[in-house]
Amino acid sequence: MGFDRERIVRLACEMLADPSDVCEGHSPTSDGPATPGAHAMPAASLVPAPSIVPAPRVLMLVGDFTEDYEVMVPYQALGMLGVDVDVVCPCKACGDTIKTAVHDFLGDQTYAETPGHRFALTASFAEAAEQPSRYDGLYLAGGRAPEYLRLNKDVLALVRAAFALELPVAAICHGIQVLTAADVVRGRKLTCYAAVAPEVRAAGGTYVEVAPTETVRDGMLVTSPAWPGHQTLLAAFAGLLGIRVTREPPVRATGTLRDVPARVSAPRTTP
């Protein structure tokens, strides 16, 4: 990626330990002001030393003609939260590209498909499939790719392993087709693109009809019908990864990264 993740984490930790975060003249053990004339402890000693935790690592499964938004948006959004995202496709290596497709409704009885961007894979599927326990979560993008990805026995084995490890799993739109083929939706409540609902029912799952902007959670599984649900799906998935973002006052003046408040708490780590 185009930024130094370790530097960002280091700078965030420095800001968390900034003595200016502690008001002078107040005791850390009382609600009122310190006794006048009393010697105040150095502000820096009132802030515990920050500890750098490993960034969570998520495996994202895609293929040729994955929906453009459904790989681009989660990849960039999770990266913004400090998540390492390994985007893989069977029979392709790190650095190879996939073609994406844009699915949209243009007045026809079903969605239209137009060419999207090329997306460069960030990891090797073969290596990821060998050690699924290295990951903290699994993300299944939608589009046309799941139609053929679900025919790959290694893909299905990887998905089953993720469920056996009780990893957080997110799936969107047609990505649920991989879950039904892997036989991991039996007894679960989930949503998907409406045309995939019969597959969910046939695989023993309970299809929940919701608006395209909504997300359904069942334990460690979160699902959404289509890319308008990215906000709710990614928020739910980030929560399962243990990521908590605290809202800060907006930064009014331009400056360097050091000037931007960062309050992202410790993420979920793999045991």
Side-chain angles (χ1 to χ4, degrees), residues 24 89 116 178 244:
E24 295 182 1
C89 173
V178 179
R244 300 291 184 269

Side-chain angles (χ1 to χ4, degrees), residues 60-68 71 87-90 92 97-101 117 119 121 140-149 155 178:
M60 181 182 293
L61 185 62
V62 300
D64 281 324
F65 302 107
T66 287
E67 211 286 327
D68 187 280
V71 58
V87 187
V88 300
C89 173
K92 289 181 183 280
T97 61
I98 59 166
K99 293 180 179 179
T100 69
H117 298 87
F119 186 93
L121 303 173
L140 301 175
R144 192 145 53 87
E147 292 178 356
Y148 76 89
L149 291 177
V155 167
V178 179

Side-chain angles (χ1 to χ4, degrees), residues 10-224:
R10 176 172 53 80
L11 291 175
C13 289
E14 288 176 2
M15 288 183 287
L16 286 169
D18 188 349
S20 64
D21 284 351
V22 181
C23 297
E24 295 182 1
H26 283 72
S27 166
T29 60
S30 66
D31 296 329
T35 304
H39 179 70
M41 295 173 61
S45 67
L46 305 181
V47 181
S51 59
I52 297 179
V53 296
R57 182 175 294 275
V58 165
L59 183 64
M60 181 182 293
L61 185 62
V62 300
D64 281 324
F65 302 107
T66 287
E67 211 286 327
D68 187 280
Y69 278 11
E70 293 175 11
V71 58
M72 296 285 187
V73 172
Y75 175 73
Q76 294 173 341
L78 291 170
M80 179 271 296
L81 291 174
V83 179
D84 290 323
V85 185
D86 286 354
V87 187
V88 300
C89 173
C91 303
K92 289 181 183 280
C94 178
D96 289 348
T97 61
I98 59 166
K99 293 180 179 179
T100 69
V102 175
H103 288 176
D104 207 352
F105 289 90
L106 304 176
D108 303 304
Q109 291 185 333
T110 188
Y111 58 82
E113 184 174 273
T114 55
H117 298 87
R118 284 185 176 269
F119 186 93
L121 303 173
T122 62
S124 162
F125 174 84
E127 294 178 2
E130 288 178 357
Q131 290 185 301
S133 60
R134 292 191 309 159
Y135 293 96
D136 299 295
L138 175 66
Y139 196 101
L140 301 175
R144 192 145 53 87
E147 292 178 356
Y148 76 89
L149 291 177
R150 61 182 170 171
L151 304 178
N152 186 308
K153 60 180 179 59
D154 293 328
V155 167
L156 301 184
L158 179 60
V159 170
R160 293 180 187 123
F163 276 81
L165 291 167
E166 298 184 338
L167 299 182
V169 176
I172 191 167
C173 201
H174 288 77
I176 285 81
Q177 289 181 309
V178 179
L179 299 181
T180 57
D183 194 22
V184 293
V185 304
R186 193 173 305 277
R188 299 180 186 272
K189 295 180 180 179
L190 63 157
T191 192
C192 57
Y193 182 63
V196 183
E199 296 179 39
V200 170
R201 297 188 182 103
T206 300
Y207 169 66
V208 181
E209 184 177 1
V210 297
T213 55
E214 296 181 8
T215 287
V216 173
R217 176 183 172 185
D218 187 325
M220 301 298 280
L221 173 65
V222 288
T223 53
S224 188

